[in-house]
Amino acid sequence: MKSLRRVGLSESFHAVTVGRQILNLLLATLFDGDRLLPWRKASFTATKPLQRATEGPYTIHTDGEWMMSNVRQMRDKAPDSEKITINLGYVDLGRIDLLVQEGFYSNRSDFIRTAIRNQLDSHVDVVAKTIERHTMELGLRDYTVADLEAIRGAGEVLHVKVVGLARIASDVTPDLALATIGSITVLGALQASAEIKAALAGRIV
């Protein structure tokens, strides 16, 4: 048993000795005494010296804070439709629900919108002739400050007649609206500030 221990210690000592010899050979290829050899110095010289950051202190933002600091306030998107309420009999409502259940329509609103469009398409000629007779505008009509200023400069009065959506810009003042708009007839929807609607209440047909 003692002989085995001696053999093991001898082998370990031999391995350490070999390792030291290899290390000495490597150091000899790099150094000449205490001096680093020139041809090795280039290999161990950093291409750019490291610089310690001196600026500070630093603030770590959470994702929410960072995102909120870069958010720009956006205007609320104006709705492109008007909500209406209708009353239906129970039998008609049940028929609509049956068609929705069978997959013909996605929901009740889809059925009602489709039915309305079909009815409007069947009367398209009548609608067109009526609009032409009453000289009304069809679709979306915007009225800006520049539009109303031009009308006031020309000494004219505007009579708004729209089938669809009429919008009066939010920066139009009540005084400007009263001076330039004689009447408003809108078959559809009118979008304007509460102040404008109050000022023109007597002129909205």
Side-chain angles (χ1 to χ4, degrees):
M1 190 70 177
K2 291 181 180 180
S3 62
L4 291 175
R5 288 180 179 177
R6 291 194 188 96
V7 171
L9 291 173
S10 176
E11 291 178 352
S12 299
F13 178 77
H14 179 69
V16 171
T17 303
V18 172
R20 287 180 176 177
Q21 292 176 350
I22 294 174
L23 179 61
N24 289 334
L25 289 174
L26 291 174
L27 293 175
T29 61
L30 299 174
F31 294 90
D32 181 10
D34 295 333
R35 183 173 62 86
L36 182 64
L37 295 176
W39 66 278
R40 289 292 184 185
K41 189 180 294 184
S43 300
F44 285 87
T45 302
T47 58
K48 185 177 181 179
L50 297 177
Q51 297 179 353
R52 183 177 181 179
T54 57
E55 298 178 358
Y58 301 96
T59 302
I60 299 176
H61 297 275
T62 62
D63 291 342
E65 292 173 349
W66 182 261
M67 291 293 291
M68 288 304 296
S69 65
N70 289 277
V71 171
R72 296 182 178 179
Q73 187 67 25
M74 299 183 68
R75 294 182 179 178
D76 294 334
K77 183 179 178 182
D80 56 358
S81 61
E82 188 79 7
K83 186 176 182 179
I84 63 172
T85 302
I86 63 173
N87 295 322
L88 288 176
Y90 295 116
V91 175
D92 291 337
L93 191 59
R95 291 173 179 175
I96 294 173
D97 289 342
L98 180 62
L99 292 173
V100 171
Q101 182 178 329
E102 292 299 315
F104 290 95
Y105 302 94
S106 58
N107 48 46
R108 293 175 176 177
S109 296
D110 184 26
F111 173 87
I112 294 170
R113 282 193 296 265
T114 303
I116 292 173
R117 292 193 190 102
N118 291 337
Q119 282 298 106
L120 291 175
D121 289 341
S122 66
H123 298 289
V124 62
D125 293 335
V126 176
V127 172
K129 291 179 181 179
T130 304
I131 291 174
E132 183 178 356
R133 186 171 66 251
H134 292 283
T135 62
M136 305 182 77
E137 297 183 70
L138 178 64
L140 170 63
R141 182 67 168 91
D142 286 318
Y143 298 95
T144 65
V145 172
D147 296 333
L148 299 183
E149 288 287 0
I151 292 172
R152 181 164 63 177
E156 299 177 352
V157 176
L158 175 66
H159 295 278
V160 177
K161 295 182 179 181
V162 175
V163 176
L165 174 61
R167 297 189 303 194
I168 300 176
S170 59
D171 54 349
V172 173
T173 63
D175 291 339
L176 179 59
L178 285 170
T180 55
I181 299 177
S183 64
I184 298 179
T185 302
V186 177
L187 300 178
L190 170 65
Q191 289 184 0
S193 65
E195 293 79 7
I196 294 296
K197 288 184 177 180
L200 300 175
R203 305 181 186 182
I204 299 176
V205 179

